[in-house]
Amino acid sequence: MRSAFSAALTRLGRDNPDVLLITGDHGYALFDEFRTACPDQFINAGIAEQNMVGMAAGLARLGFRPFVYGLSAFVPIRVVEQIKMDIAHDDLPVVLLGDGAGFVYSHLGPSHQSAEDIACARSVPGLTVLSPGDRYEMTACMDLAYDLRGPVYMRMGKADRGEVHAGTLSPLVVGEPICVRSGPADAPALLATGAMLTTAVQLAEQHGPMAVWSVPSVKPLSTEAIAAISRSSSAIVVMEEHSVHGGLGAAVTEIVTEVEPCRVLRIGIQDRFSKHCGSYDYLLREHGLDLASVKERVDAFTATI
Amino acid sequence: MLYRSFVRYPGGDPRHPDRDYLVLSKGHGVMAQYACMREMGWLNDKEHIERYFGDGSDLMGLSDSRTPGLEVSSGSLGHGFSVGVGIAEGLRRRGTDQRVFAIVGDGELNEGPIWEGMLFASHNKLSNLMMIVDANGFQAMGRTDDVMELGSIRQKLESFGFETADVDGHDQGALETTIRTLIDSDSPRPKALVAKTIKGKGVPFMEHDNQWHYRHLSAQDYEASIEALRAEVAL
């Protein structure tokens, strides 16, 4: 997934000299390919995220196409106000890349773990929020982010969870979920985003026939598409490596309660910080986001429908 | 004075792509900029000035970049300067001779991103950037020396790698000469001018009195202010 990111970034940079990669002193070897191909389009803004995002706005005003890279614990969290006033207020074409979303930095503790970014980004007017689930979605999201020519936050979670799609996707339509597998109307539909997508597919394989939808475009999110999923399933289960407050689960719930009510189970990070550190898989277990824990909750939920 | 002598707008167009950029980072000073924009012909009395602050007015209480002539939405302090640094970096990359003039307040210097931006501007030799500090010695709650003492602003900016100068911000001749000297310098460093000013200058009952950061003018105060300013201009 990271090589797909690097390849897409390098391709966009090579094809368009106005593309700039700006990093807050993060990314080290990740940008080797880009820096070799486009050495003059790389800016290290130092460990100074607020200034970095403000500068990206200034550069975008002149017609540059900044891709601003940081850890999602910092971009967007530390710089929500710069994103709001310097970038989104003027609909500037800046792509904000928040890496390490969720529990990627499992050993480092809560400062580097990121469970609030979607919630913050969703509330900024006009800011598109993307969250690719595998390498093919990554490539498609990068192309979409470039083509939208507006403010975009792209969330990058755990990158080595495997592939879900069989190959290159056709261009993404902003707001539209992607059907990964279809399922019967008397079973819940699974909606997942980011690193939880592979877990959703594994769950569907174990649980019996269930529809699985990937949601790379968290905002905007098509009201019609979510209503249709609600109509064609017995309930909805949303899975995300993000707080249950304000993330995809909240977005889906907001839509269905207005237009097509159904039961929604929100599987995500509960309202607390990690208690301990450890491996990524350990952190998933601690927060009940590993496959076994998720399956238990979904089975119990399904039994109540 | 900046509009008259330094900031270039080809064809008088506030959105011309070849213009210089006047970035008002201390967005609270936008009323002074509105007055200049009226003189430039970008605001008119009927649509803008008479409706100022009325329901549906385009002219906000703080700088809003959707109004041609205003480059940034500032007012949340510490934002505009970074955007200005980004514009200066972009102009450098474009290889043009356009300049960025970024006006910040001395109170605004409390904000961290200002110093982040100075580090970047200095490291990247943004000689097309001129930071102008409106050093009136006051911020919202009182004197800057009492709230967050800055010591010598000029020394701080110098130590951050800027080519600096001090000037009396009310002496138009000195301002013009000093800005010209900074602009004409061959130094690759970014430039900074510390303009010492008096808050409420020209209206004796307002000068050095921070309650006018907040107060509305009564009709009587308004007449007295205008009279004092007329006398000041006539001198």
Side-chain angles (χ1 to χ4, degrees), chain A residues 30 49 66 75 78 85 88 91 97 99 103 107 110 117 119 144 150 163 177 206 216 219 221 248 250 262 279 286:
Chain A
L30 178 62
E49 293 84 4
V75 177
R78 191 190 187 107
M85 284 314 298
D91 202 26
L97 304 162
D99 203 356
F103 297 122
H107 290 98
D117 54 314
L144 177 63
E163 280 144 35
Q206 290 188 11
K219 184 197 166 193
L221 184 56
L248 177 63
C262 73
S279 66
E286 185 194 310

Side-chain angles (χ1 to χ4, degrees), chain B residues 209-223:
Chain B
D209 183 351
N210 214 35
Q211 67 171 316
W212 289 101
H213 191 88
Y214 304 96
R215 271 184 70 173
H216 288 259
L217 281 172
S218 67
Q220 197 181 357
D221 289 337
Y222 172 77
E223 291 303 333

Side-chain angles (χ1 to χ4, degrees), chain A:
Chain A
M1 197 163 173
R2 291 174 82 74
S3 60
F5 167 70
S6 175
L9 189 64
T10 305
R11 172 168 48 79
L12 290 169
R14 203 182 268 139
D15 291 350
N16 186 343
D18 283 335
V19 165
L20 297 175
L21 171 62
I22 311 175
T23 175
D25 204 34
H26 276 122
Y28 201 53
L30 178 62
F31 299 131
D32 286 352
E33 187 185 357
F34 183 90
R35 293 181 73 174
T36 303
C38 314
D40 297 332
Q41 291 161 253
F42 175 82
I43 297 173
N44 189 341
I47 310 166
E49 293 84 4
Q50 297 177 82
N51 180 61
M52 170 172 71
V53 174
M55 287 199 313
L59 287 159
R61 286 185 173 280
L62 295 188
F64 289 95
R65 299 294 306 276
F67 283 68
V68 180
Y69 178 88
L71 302 194
S72 71
F74 314 142
V75 177
I77 298 298
R78 191 190 187 107
V79 289
V80 168
E81 200 201 359
Q82 276 78 11
I83 294 171
K84 170 192 161 192
M85 284 314 298
D86 302 347
I87 291 174
H89 177 269
D90 294 299
D91 202 26
L92 292 172
V94 177
V95 180
L96 302 142
L97 304 162
D99 203 356
F103 297 122
V104 172
Y105 293 101
S106 57
H107 290 98
L108 299 185
S111 76
H112 279 55
Q113 294 166 12
S114 170
E116 308 82 11
D117 54 314
I118 294 177
C120 291
R122 274 183 69 218
S123 66
V124 176
L127 182 64
T128 296
V129 179
L130 304 179
S131 168
D134 76 353
R135 58 180 288 114
Y136 300 111
E137 289 191 9
M138 169 63 79
T139 304
C141 281
M142 286 291 283
D143 286 337
L144 177 63
Y146 180 80
D147 291 340
L148 282 172
R149 296 184 178 276
V152 175
Y153 167 59
M154 190 176 86
R155 172 179 227 247
M156 299 163 67
K158 187 72 170 159
D160 58 358
R161 306 296 277 174
E163 280 144 35
V164 167
H165 301 288
T168 305
L169 298 167
S170 46
L172 294 184
V173 179
V174 70
E176 293 297 328
I178 304 171
C179 185
V180 177
R181 54 189 287 170
S182 52
D186 61 353
L190 296 180
L191 268 67
T193 194
M196 289 301 283
L197 180 59
T198 49
T199 311
V201 172
Q202 289 160 5
L203 176 65
E205 283 162 1
Q206 290 188 11
H207 185 275
M210 293 171 94
V212 177
W213 294 80
S214 176
V215 187
S217 172
V218 175
K219 184 197 166 193
L221 184 56
S222 164
T223 298
E224 294 74 21
I226 298 300
I229 293 170
S230 175
R231 273 194 301 276
S232 59
S233 55
S234 64
I236 291 178
V237 176
V238 182
M239 295 167 58
E240 60 191 321
E241 203 175 308
H242 180 277
S243 170
V244 290
H245 299 297
L248 177 63
V252 169
T253 307
E254 288 158 13
I255 291 174
V256 295
T257 52
E258 265 190 27
V259 299
E260 194 70 45
C262 73
R263 296 274 304 279
V264 178
L265 174 64
R266 291 171 298 139
I267 293 178
I269 300 168
Q270 297 303 313
D271 196 23
R272 67 170 178 84
F273 293 105
S274 298
K275 288 176 186 151
H276 308 288
C277 84
S279 66
Y280 176 74
D281 286 329
Y282 169 82
L283 262 287
L284 288 185
R285 285 196 301 277
E286 185 194 310
H287 288 275
L289 294 180
D290 60 302
L291 180 58
S293 304
V294 171
K295 183 171 184 305
E296 202 173 305
R297 286 194 67 194
V298 172
D299 286 346
F301 176 70
T302 307
T304 67
I305 295 166

Side-chain angles (χ1 to χ4, degrees), chain B residues 80-157:
Chain B
F81 183 69
S82 291
V83 179
V85 172
I87 293 171
E89 167 69 11
L91 296 173
R92 185 183 69 81
R93 286 175 167 268
R94 295 275 192 238
T96 77
D97 70 346
Q98 292 159 267
R99 299 189 192 102
V100 176
F101 299 87
I103 301 176
V104 305
D106 49 359
E108 189 181 14
L109 292 178
N110 291 177
E111 292 279 7
I114 300 273
W115 303 90
E116 297 178 0
M118 281 195 267
L119 288 173
F120 185 93
S122 177
H123 181 82
N124 291 280
K125 299 186 170 55
L126 299 183
S127 59
N128 57 354
L129 172 72
M130 183 180 297
M131 176 183 197
I132 300 173
V133 181
D134 177 10
N136 62 29
F138 281 96
Q139 57 195 93
M141 296 285 283
R143 291 181 184 277
T144 53
D145 281 349
D146 296 333
V147 176
M148 197 66 69
E149 190 173 357
L150 283 159
S152 166
I153 296 172
R154 185 176 173 187
Q155 275 179 22
K156 283 188 165 61
L157 304 188

